[in-house]
Amino acid sequence: MNKKVIIVGGVAGGASAAARLRRLDEEAEIILLERGEHISFANCGLPYYIGGTIQDRSKLLVQTPEMMDRRFRIDVRVQNEAIQINTKDKTVTIQHNGDTYEENYDALILSPGAKPISPSIEGIDHSKILSLRNISDTDHIKSMVDMDAVREVTVIGGGFIGVEMAEVLAERGLKVTLVESAPHILAPFDDDVVPIVEKELQDHGVRLILGDPVMKFNDVSGNGPEVILQSGHSHHADLVIMAIGVMPDTAFLKDSGIELGPKGHIIVNEYLQTNCEDVYAVGDAIEISNFVTGQKTAVPLAGPANKQGRIAADHIAGLPSKYEGAQGTSILKVFGLTAASTGSNERTLRRSGIPYRTALVHPGSHAGYYPGAEPMTLKLIYDKQGRVLGAQALGGAGVDKRMDVLATVIRLKGTVQDLTELELAYAPPYSSAKDPVNMAGFVAQNDLNGMSPTITLEDIKERNKENTILLDVRTRQEFEQGHIPDAVNIPLDELRDRLDQLDSSKKLLVYCQVGLRGYTAVRILRQKGFNAVNLTGGYKYYKSASFTPDQDGIIIY
């Protein structure tokens, strides 16, 4: 007897599962239910259509019901919503045009996705407060943005969608305010590197309000809402876009017997099976394992969803595929800046109780003597055994390929030693003989083996001034142009001749501009009997991490 498989939800996970299953089983009956109008669309491209970078709307439609039928003989039913699952009788209750009907299944794949969080804020039901999740939302927002009357837009939420929306709307010439309730935007990035992104936004005209949540929206007759913040400050907006995150869209599973997590995510095992027989789940609605920490998490990204759809289909067809967890590799364009991350950041590791070290370098995208090299900031997070736990990179050209290398090393459970030994493609227009990935590995390796122990900005802030000396080894001119408070300046090239000016009973906290001269200074000092450590990333790290957005003279924290 041919197997009957029902898939609830399309887009990344569901559509991938359907296509993979057909490739594995030509005889299976496959029904794909999608409550919306589109089964597979490029949700990551929605902001860029609103902004005008993508001009042809049809390019957003990855697959249509007609295409799925012609190529894969899949019964695609759009505007058909699964409203109830009976796991005992193996049936799905479906609603279509006000009528309901049932379908039985031999196997069921749930890919319901997630929906925008809509907080209980007074006035949030205003007609000019919108959220972005699907094609319909996109059309609505674009139609409003295209109106001449919309000149001031407030984006609530500094996640990926919020930042992308702020960018594309600012590029359209609108006055954009981005409000984030946390002290910083972009949660995957640590507090000491994300200010680079915040500065890029401000430099391109986006007003940032951080650490000040929205309390309510006032309805101004005939105009857009007035945004009232916790601090009491307020401003007008012709349009507000809510982008404060998503939650699993799993309310319809309430009485199904399928186990849900504390936040409504579907619990699955490594084969993406739920606790109910022959029921699988994939995508934004499931709870998975963090590949680095092993702890439970949710990663609403298209890449993991596609892989999960493939694995669920494999298991139904009898192939022994497993899902090993997600590491959350992501990348974002912010005007002229690229920001990318993979693995765990410091906050996640602290919550998990996992000790870690960090290294930070500022290499060029390629050889400095070849024209067009762009600066990059690369942060590496690793444990005392050298295993790479996470990485973050910000800059221009080449950020993406370095992050891909680091994501691969993490997936293979590699170490900083592996980073030093990687043989990566080199020619002056593309890299340096010592690639930025190698450089990060060298710094981490020198830290772990004691050649040049590193410290962070947190160590600088918490230092005991009575028994430490903050030593700046840059030139006098660099020092005079700006330095960390309380620092003593002895240029590197004078250091050997001025050792008698340093108190050998005190710990020397050394820094230079980016860390390289500091490393050389530490090697001199440690061999001369001093207890010296190097500030990873140097003064450039200190300056970028100290950036605070200017909100028209109002600093909100």
Side-chain angles (χ1 to χ4, degrees), residues 466-467 469 499-508 530-531:
E466 297 298 319
N467 56 24
I469 297 173
L499 293 177
D500 59 341
Q501 298 177 22
L502 297 171
D503 186 344
S504 61
S505 69
K506 294 186 177 182
K507 186 176 185 178
L508 302 181
F530 291 87
N531 180 11

Side-chain angles (χ1 to χ4, degrees), residues 454-472:
T454 59
I455 56 172
T456 66
L457 289 182
E458 199 64 31
D459 298 316
I460 294 288
K461 294 174 184 176
E462 296 178 355
R463 73 188 187 277
N464 185 329
K465 296 183 181 180
E466 297 298 319
N467 56 24
T468 61
I469 297 173
L470 187 55
L471 179 61
D472 186 323

